[in-house]
Amino acid sequence: MAYDLELARRIRERLDKLRIPEVEEKTMMGGLVFMVDDKMCVGVVGDALMCRIDPEEMHVALAREGCDRMAFTGRTMKGFVVVQPEGMKSKTNFEFWIGLALEFNPRAKSSKKPKRADLS
């Protein structure tokens, strides 16, 4: 599945403007994911914005236009939402979503496996 290159550019520019350190881009789940401090933070899936948010804030996020729970392989992912284009058309709404994901990022658990010590 192709992803929206313009949306990827908008995310990149916003993260650059906020001077977010340790950002890495990875292709996964048929889209592009922006990793912040080795943790999935925001991304692009098709023409939608994917955000990793505090699961406790899910009710607030789902009440906003264009937002829904993220489902991957038929299963909803806890703490992940997708925002359709109508929910992020305005600069204010787009920045809200990026900010919500960045606010949760320091508390999010990293899925990166710790390196095993070499016992030889």
Side-chain angles (χ1 to χ4, degrees):
M1 169 193 269
Y3 59 85
D4 186 330
L5 296 174
E6 176 61 19
L7 179 53
R9 182 197 61 74
R10 286 177 71 193
I11 295 169
R12 208 173 282 118
E13 285 182 359
R14 184 67 185 148
L15 295 175
D16 285 346
K17 185 174 183 178
L18 293 171
R19 299 175 198 237
I20 303 300
E22 304 297 321
V23 175
E24 181 182 358
E25 295 182 27
K26 290 186 176 186
T27 54
M28 62 173 68
M29 301 187 301
L32 180 68
V33 174
F34 292 80
M35 308 285 286
V36 175
D37 295 326
D38 291 322
K39 296 176 268 187
M40 201 180 305
C41 186
V42 295
V44 185
V45 180
D47 64 350
L49 174 66
M50 181 276 301
C51 297
R52 184 177 188 186
I53 65 170
D54 185 339
E56 299 295 319
E57 296 296 319
M58 188 68 78
H59 66 286
V60 173
L62 293 173
R64 295 182 66 103
E65 180 181 18
C67 180
D68 203 355
R69 296 176 192 275
M70 181 171 178
F72 187 64
T73 64
R75 180 176 143 239
T76 58
M77 296 178 65
K78 184 178 179 181
F80 287 85
V81 295
V82 289
V83 182
Q84 299 303 323
E86 65 270 15
M88 59 174 163
K89 269 191 267 187
S90 76
K91 181 180 178 184
T92 302
N93 285 339
F94 176 75
E95 290 177 358
F96 167 83
W97 291 111
I98 300 296
L100 193 61
L102 287 171
E103 187 274 326
F104 178 61
N105 186 264
R107 299 187 319 272
K109 291 183 182 174
S110 177
S111 59
K112 192 172 187 177
K113 306 262 190 278
K115 292 182 181 179
R116 294 178 55 181
D118 186 10
L119 301 176
S120 52

